[in-house]
Amino acid sequence: MTALEHGDTGVTSDAPISPPSHPQGPGGVLAKPYRALSIGIVSVVLLIAFEATAVGTAMPVAARELDGVSLYAFAFSGYFTTSLFGMVLSGQWADRRGPLGPLATGIGLFAAGLLLSGTAGAMWLFIAGRAVQGLGGGLVIVALYVIVSRAYPEHLRPSIMAAFAASWVVPSVVGPLVSGTVTEHLGWRWVFVGIPILVVAPLALALPAIRRTASGPVDPAAPVAAFDRRRIRLALGISLGAGLLQYAGQDLRWLSLLPAVLGAAVLVPAVLGLLPKGTYRAARGLPSVVLLRGVAAGSFIAAESFVPLMLVTQRGLSPTMAGLSLAVGGATWALGSYMQSRPRMEPYRGRLVAFGMVLVAASIATAPTVLIASVPVWIVGVAWGFGCFGMGMVIASTSVLLLRLSPPADAGSNSAALQISDGLSNVLLLAVGGAAFAALGGGTVGAAHGASDVSASHPGAFVAVFLPMAAVALAGAWIGTRLKERTDTERTV
């Protein structure tokens, strides 16, 4: 029985969960017992971050040269749908055999997908490469969480999560610039083909340390359980359902209702079967941690996706300036993650998370004020800086709380649930926001089926995106008050 099946809290209530024993050693995550491991896994996150920012810059040029602009969105959805399956598979694999296998396999698939996309001669091959890359990415992200759970004592986990967040700061600024320069002077293919070469060094550094500290099952003497075929089927259901919903979201026609209904029919039971019991009603403990992760990530990313578009179409900024308006967010996100990692903040983690979600809600609600001509555009940059600060506290804290509430043997499955909540909420809230935007005169972004010109977007269409997402984020502040499990005394009252 996994922790997902223990009840509303996700863990047994008769005994506290204690982290595995580790040599304490002096210092923090860069102390001698952890130095090679920390540098190795943070380097892996750094390269993933660089890929995410660099490939996004090269993607439009690739789609145009491959005559695949009408299929542009599927280059993103192909990655997403396969990554959801990879997350569940990685959780199963890591719980039974240890995280080394899924991490090494995931990095290999990630690199192979980049190479396939970078050498593709047709758009369908490019999309296939993105799907392979997504499967690898799903395997890697969950395996990293399991490594943190097994290799680091509880008091160091906030620090390594803060290091993960800090790894996104430089790529968020440098990635688009480097990718744009390479694309312009050498061609878009070099962006895809060049990144796998950079994987070799961190992999060589991290794998020996992982083999020494976190390989194999938690209890080597116990028989290795078989893969849970039911959960694998549910994972396939999530990927299929999400893919159908994304396909339907590409076109607001009556015909699109059919794949949308089929997608929802497949997706809903699969989600209920893979997330902790009680997640949908914000039950205390682990279910609320998983739900909050989705609410925070989905509302913020859905709103952020429309910020550059709003600044370009409504205030006349260039795409470069619109993108730079959000650049400060990388630094403040890392600062928020660092803030939650301080030992003196530990007793106030619940309040920290709730405050972070209030900042997120306020930043989203403030962004559309630039639709008023008298409001300076720098207001968006300031607001988004505060929102990213809140997100840094919330995202890192949910990761720390999940590992604390997960027995070591279930860290993989629970980490997969957290990532599923994160990724799935992104696509669902983006779909809802995009539909509202298009329905209220915002136009559609893309070339398929005669997309309208987004330069003619009605200002009210942006308001219809930002204000509902602010309300979702504000609901996250309430969920943040339910992250702590109820005590035995509270249960009897």
Side-chain angles (χ1 to χ4, degrees):
M1 179 177 291
T2 67
L4 301 179
E5 297 164 319
H6 284 162
D8 288 349
T9 61
V11 294
T12 54
S13 59
D14 56 342
I17 297 300
S18 58
S21 59
H22 299 274
Q24 294 298 315
V29 295
L30 291 179
K32 187 175 181 180
Y34 311 106
R35 186 177 303 139
L37 178 63
S38 297
I39 294 174
I41 62 176
V42 168
S43 297
V44 171
V45 175
L46 181 69
L47 288 175
I48 291 175
F50 181 77
E51 181 276 337
T53 56
V55 166
T57 303
M59 197 92 74
V61 180
R64 186 171 63 247
E65 290 192 7
L66 294 173
D67 295 324
V69 174
S70 62
L71 299 174
Y72 180 74
F74 291 103
F76 292 96
S77 62
Y79 182 100
F80 172 76
T81 53
T82 54
S83 68
L84 285 174
F85 176 73
M87 291 170 188
V88 177
L89 180 61
S90 182
Q92 294 260 312
W93 192 348
D95 283 344
R96 284 154 177 78
R97 303 282 185 179
L100 184 60
L103 179 71
T105 303
I107 291 177
L109 288 172
F110 192 80
L114 283 167
L115 291 173
L116 180 57
S117 292
T119 57
M123 191 62 181
W124 69 268
L125 272 176
F126 182 87
I127 294 172
R130 292 286 292 165
V132 173
Q133 188 185 343
L135 179 60
L139 289 170
V140 168
I141 189 65
V142 173
L144 287 174
Y145 272 65
V146 178
I147 290 168
V148 171
S149 172
R150 295 193 184 185
Y152 294 88
E154 186 173 332
H155 75 279
L156 289 182
R157 292 173 189 166
S159 297
I160 195 65
M161 290 300 174
F164 284 176
S167 299
W168 282 80
V169 176
V170 174
S172 66
V173 178
V174 176
L177 179 62
V178 173
S179 177
T181 303
V182 171
T183 300
E184 182 178 348
H185 294 285
L186 298 177
W188 64 268
R189 295 184 185 274
W190 285 101
V191 176
F192 289 84
V193 174
I195 292 175
I197 300 173
L198 303 177
V199 173
V200 177
L203 197 60
L205 184 63
L207 289 184
I210 295 170
R211 187 178 293 110
R212 186 173 62 253
T213 60
S215 63
V218 174
D219 184 3
V224 178
F227 278 81
D228 188 337
R229 294 182 180 180
R230 173 180 172 273
R231 292 182 65 82
I232 298 298
R233 288 195 299 270
L234 291 175
L236 287 171
I238 281 187
S239 294
L240 177 61
L244 288 170
L245 285 175
Q246 287 179 326
Y247 177 80
Q250 301 303 309
D251 184 20
L252 293 179
R253 296 188 301 173
W254 287 109
L255 208 59
S256 299
L257 286 176
L258 180 59
V261 170
L262 289 175
V266 174
L267 185 65
V268 171
V271 170
L272 292 177
L274 285 174
L275 298 187
K277 183 181 178 182
T279 297
Y280 72 95
R281 56 184 176 83
R284 287 186 177 273
L286 184 64
S288 284
V289 172
V290 172
L291 178 61
L292 178 62
R293 179 60 163 263
V295 166
S299 60
F300 189 78
I301 297 302
E304 186 178 55
S305 300
F306 286 87
V307 170
L309 183 64
M310 178 175 65
L311 294 177
V312 169
T313 61
Q314 302 299 312
R315 296 302 297 263
L317 267 67
S318 68
T320 300
M321 291 302 298
L324 287 176
S325 68
L326 304 179
V328 69
T332 57
W333 189 306
L335 181 62
S337 186
Y338 171 80
M339 179 75 71
Q340 65 79 37
S341 72
R342 298 298 84 198
R344 64 177 177 272
M345 293 294 181
E346 188 57 43
Y348 311 104
R349 189 171 294 279
R351 297 179 186 178
L352 208 66
V353 169
F355 176 64
M357 289 308 302
V358 170
L359 287 179
V360 172
S363 70
I364 296 174
T366 301
T369 60
V370 298
L371 293 169
I372 303 171
S374 59
V375 176
V377 293
W378 55 259
I379 288 293
V380 171
V382 174
W384 226 248
F386 279 101
C388 286
F389 179 78
M391 284 293 288
M393 292 191 293
V394 172
I395 297 300
S397 289
T398 53
S399 301
V400 171
L401 289 168
L402 177 112
L403 296 178
R404 179 182 301 165
L405 293 171
S406 300
D410 293 331
S413 296
N414 289 349
S415 296
L418 189 77
Q419 295 301 325
I420 288 171
S421 177
D422 187 319
L424 192 59
S425 65
N426 284 345
V427 71
L428 293 180
L429 289 180
L430 269 170
V432 170
F437 180 76
L440 293 179
T444 55
V445 183
H449 306 295
S452 58
D453 184 3
V454 295
S455 64
S457 300
H458 191 281
F462 291 100
V463 176
V465 173
F466 286 102
L467 293 189
M469 295 307 157
V472 172
L474 196 58
W478 171 77
I479 299 173
T481 65
R482 301 180 61 80
L483 305 181
K484 184 179 178 181
E485 293 182 274
R486 298 174 68 180
T487 63
D488 292 336
T489 302
E490 291 171 331
R491 291 189 183 99
T492 58
V493 173

